[in-house]
Amino acid sequence: MIEIDMTQCRKCKKCELICPVAGININKQTISNDCIECHHCGAICPHDAINAQHLIGETSQNNIQPYDFELLMQQRRSHRIFSKRRVAPELLQHFIESMRFSPTASNLQSLQFTVVSNTSVMDEINTLTITTLTKAFKGINSFTQPLIRLFAGGATLKKMMTAKDKFMNKAAINKKMITYNAPAMIVIHSETTPVGMPVHDAAIWTGMATLYAELLDLCTCINGYIVNAARRNKKIKHSLQIPAHHTIHSAILIGYPQMKFENRVERNMPTINHIVQ
């Protein structure tokens, strides 16, 4: 609950200007019920007049140069060959706790995290995911293809067939094509809800986490297959001890790299449209 200490307040009204829901009225000394508790007001107040108990220090000069961040993004790659070295639970705990400052879409802070480092559970998730998605892909057959082409179009059918072939071929070659013998996995989930934007929060968290992992000499691989399979098979959430009323939004394999990527590789330039005066 946001509280303003009017004995400290100097009525500069920076908090009113910064509030994303226009929920603060200093003159009336009121805070709207629309408050999302983002604490922008406390962060901008120069007199520590708003929820001082939540302040953890002043902002400091950012010494990270743009090139440093660009280099970090360029060197980050998905890893599928992990070292057998174990990732300490304490490090994973610290990793997730430190990531609580990741940006969010609506500040609900509803994400929960399940950390898996049990080999048997990892193997079970690997098998369940392959089995579940194999069954789903087999549903794209000579009987359903005409219907898919009719309702979704030929281009969509072609993409689905390409995805099917890639998955089935890889599953036949690599029995660990889901978890890749990773020593640990972080699963991001939240209560299933029609409001808020937890799926966006999870996507933001996942992207930020893959970069932060690089700074800890860890490597990651975002695994969409597990998320896809979990929507189709309740056994996956059960194996992960995730409540049935939760939705899995993202899964990240995490560990130490067995090999180092030596080179940075170019990517396609994005299409950019400018709307100017």
Side-chain angles (χ1 to χ4, degrees):
M1 183 68 182
I2 301 296
E3 295 179 350
I4 302 175
D5 182 353
M6 296 307 298
T7 63
Q8 294 289 105
C9 178
R10 297 296 180 267
K11 295 188 178 182
C12 66
K13 298 187 178 181
K14 289 182 178 180
C15 57
E16 284 191 11
L17 292 172
I18 204 68
C19 180
V21 297
I24 298 176
N25 188 314
I26 290 297
N27 289 339
K28 294 182 179 179
Q29 300 181 28
T30 60
I31 298 175
S32 167
N33 290 331
D34 293 335
C35 173
I36 61 173
E37 296 192 37
C38 64
H39 293 281
H40 271 7
C41 53
I44 205 168
C45 178
H47 307 294
D48 297 348
I50 302 177
N51 280 32
Q53 69 272 26
H54 290 287
L55 304 181
I56 58 175
E58 296 180 354
T59 56
S60 57
Q61 179 65 38
N62 181 6
N63 294 320
I64 301 175
Q65 298 301 309
Y67 176 74
D68 296 326
F69 188 72
E70 291 169 12
L71 190 63
L72 179 63
M73 288 192 292
Q74 291 170 14
Q75 73 181 33
R76 185 221 59 82
R77 301 200 70 82
S78 294
H79 284 251
R80 294 175 177 83
I81 303 177
F82 293 87
S83 164
K84 293 182 179 180
R85 180 182 173 188
R86 174 176 171 267
V87 183
E90 298 80 11
L91 177 57
L92 293 174
Q93 182 79 17
H94 170 75
F95 180 86
I96 295 173
E97 289 177 350
S98 298
M99 281 293 300
R100 71 187 184 277
F101 296 104
S102 170
T104 64
S106 59
N107 196 48
L108 290 182
Q109 301 182 49
S110 60
L111 298 182
Q112 297 185 33
F113 304 87
T114 295
V115 181
V116 184
S117 55
N118 182 296
T119 303
S120 297
V121 174
M122 294 285 282
D123 289 344
E124 185 176 5
I125 297 302
N126 185 85
T127 300
L128 281 171
T129 300
I130 291 178
T131 302
T132 302
L133 295 184
T134 296
K135 182 179 179 180
F137 277 125
K138 285 183 176 179
I140 307 173
N141 52 47
S142 58
F143 296 102
T144 61
Q145 286 179 30
L147 292 174
I148 296 172
R149 182 180 289 107
L150 176 64
F151 292 103
T156 297
L157 175 61
K158 183 178 180 180
K159 290 179 181 178
M160 293 174 69
M161 291 301 296
T162 299
K164 174 183 179 179
D165 291 342
K166 284 184 177 179
F167 183 87
M168 301 297 281
N169 291 339
K170 193 171 182 180
I173 296 172
N174 185 359
K175 301 303 180 183
K176 291 293 182 69
M177 66 164 288
I178 302 299
T179 56
Y180 294 105
N181 292 309
M185 175 172 65
I186 300 173
V187 182
I188 303 97
H189 52 97
S190 72
E191 290 189 15
T192 303
T193 172
V195 298
M197 293 178 275
V199 63
H200 299 295
D201 290 347
I204 295 168
W205 192 97
T206 299
M208 298 287 284
T210 59
L211 294 176
Y212 183 44
E214 294 284 326
L215 301 177
L216 300 176
D217 296 324
L218 294 168
C219 62
T220 57
C221 180
I222 302 171
N223 196 298
Y225 283 138
I226 295 173
V227 177
N228 194 326
R231 296 193 188 109
R232 303 168 183 271
N233 191 337
K234 297 178 181 179
K235 291 181 180 179
I236 291 178
K237 281 195 285 188
H238 183 266
S239 296
L240 293 170
Q241 299 178 30
I242 292 175
H245 64 285
H246 278 214
T247 298
I248 293 176
H249 303 298
S250 183
I252 305 175
L253 305 178
I254 188 166
Y256 292 99
Q258 181 174 317
M259 297 183 292
K260 178 183 178 181
F261 289 101
E262 300 291 343
N263 303 303
R264 290 177 287 147
V265 182
E266 181 62 282
R267 285 194 173 186
N268 295 336
M269 284 292 181
T271 298
I272 305 173
N273 298 316
H274 292 274
I275 300 176
V276 297
Q277 292 181 341

